[in-house]
Amino acid sequence: MKTIKGMKFETLISENDIATRVKELVKEIAEDSDGKEIFVIGILKGSFIFLSDLLRLFNVHNIHPSLDFITVESYGSGKTSSGKLKMLRDITTDIENKWVLIVDDILDTGRTLAFAKEYFLKKKPASIKTCVFLDKPERRVNEFKADYVGFEVPDKFVVGYGMDYDNLFRELPYVGVLSDEEDT
Ligand code: IMP
Ligand code: MG
């Protein structure tokens, strides 16, 4: 158990396990994309560390994707979702006929990715795939399934590797689970 900024948490996924799994994911994506022109859309802010690891490994497979970011507002501060969604930042490039890969940190209720996928489908890409570092299937409020999933995790609030609690802990190189225990 570690305590940072008065919050207690435990490691759920180690740095080593992350590195191994991310390599496998990139291999899968490389095989599926089969030489097509890839356009990667990262969902800010949570995806930025996962995405930077993915991108640097694409290079190993001789894949040279284009990249843009969106911001979808889905959570207020803290642990609860409002359920309302809005595109706060959109991409500025045309994705028609491109092989699009939307990347997010964690698939939770499924609202964010369902919203983003539907939004970009209207722009007539050749295909849209979705890739998430973590999947919390127990929390889903719709039928959404990601095409590429790093790890399935239980219904616990996680931080690190880009994911935050109140905009903190994104810098941790591993994934931790916040504890409900009070700091005594
Ligand atoms: P969804 O729309 O409920 O699937 O929410 C996805 C977004 O909620 C993710 O992109 C995260 O930013 C955030 N989120 C969901 N669960 C967690 C968590 O356990 N830790 C940190 N962020 C989370
Ligand atoms: Mg997010």
Side-chain angles (χ1 to χ4, degrees):
M1 183 88 77
K2 289 181 189 130
T3 306
I4 303 180
K5 292 226 168 213
M7 312 258 329
K8 290 183 171 177
F9 55 87
E10 281 176 272
T11 304
L12 181 68
I13 309 172
S14 72
E15 218 177 323
N16 262 336
D17 289 349
I18 293 174
T20 306
R21 184 66 190 127
V22 172
K23 272 188 205 141
E24 289 170 359
L25 273 182
V26 170
K27 195 162 174 273
E28 265 183 68
I29 296 168
E31 282 165 10
D32 291 355
S33 61
D34 194 26
K36 296 187 189 74
E37 198 185 341
I38 303 185
F39 194 99
V40 177
I41 300 176
I43 305 185
L44 291 172
K45 304 170 194 166
S47 72
F48 82 109
I49 290 187
F50 176 45
L51 187 49
S52 73
D53 280 349
L54 280 180
L55 281 181
R56 283 173 295 178
L57 287 165
F58 276 166
N59 185 54
V60 176
H61 295 270
N62 242 323
I63 292 176
H64 306 287
S66 304
L67 171 69
D68 209 340
F69 289 98
I70 59 171
T71 305
V72 178
E73 194 178 53
S74 67
Y75 269 66
S77 61
K79 292 185 184 177
T80 46
S81 164
S82 67
K84 288 182 202 146
L85 291 174
K86 205 163 82 179
M87 186 72 73
L88 284 186
R89 182 196 192 275
D90 202 345
I91 60 170
T92 50
T93 327
D94 188 10
I95 56 166
E96 193 170 333
N97 294 325
K98 296 194 177 141
W99 199 91
V100 174
L101 182 70
I102 306 178
V103 179
D104 205 1
D105 51 357
I106 178 161
L107 177 54
D108 188 37
T109 63
R111 289 190 186 106
T112 307
L113 272 172
F115 168 82
K117 189 171 176 179
E118 195 183 299
Y119 183 87
F120 288 115
L121 271 174
K122 292 185 189 130
K123 317 255 176 199
K124 302 194 171 64
S127 88
I128 296 196
K129 304 274 188 205
T130 54
C131 174
V132 292
F133 174 58
L134 301 183
D135 185 1
K136 265 191 218 171
E138 289 167 55
R139 293 259 308 157
R140 207 79 85 252
V141 297
N142 53 26
E143 301 282 294
F144 197 89
K145 283 197 173 61
D147 299 287
Y148 308 99
V149 173
F151 299 90
E152 252 188 37
V153 290
D155 181 12
K156 298 262 167 72
F157 202 83
V158 295
V159 294
Y161 200 61
M163 293 169 288
D164 73 306
Y165 173 70
D166 247 352
N167 227 2
L168 287 173
F169 311 122
R170 294 192 197 272
E171 77 287 0
L172 301 176
Y174 51 87
V175 175
V177 179
L178 284 183
S179 161
D180 296 327
E181 268 177 56
E182 287 299 311
D183 197 16
T184 45

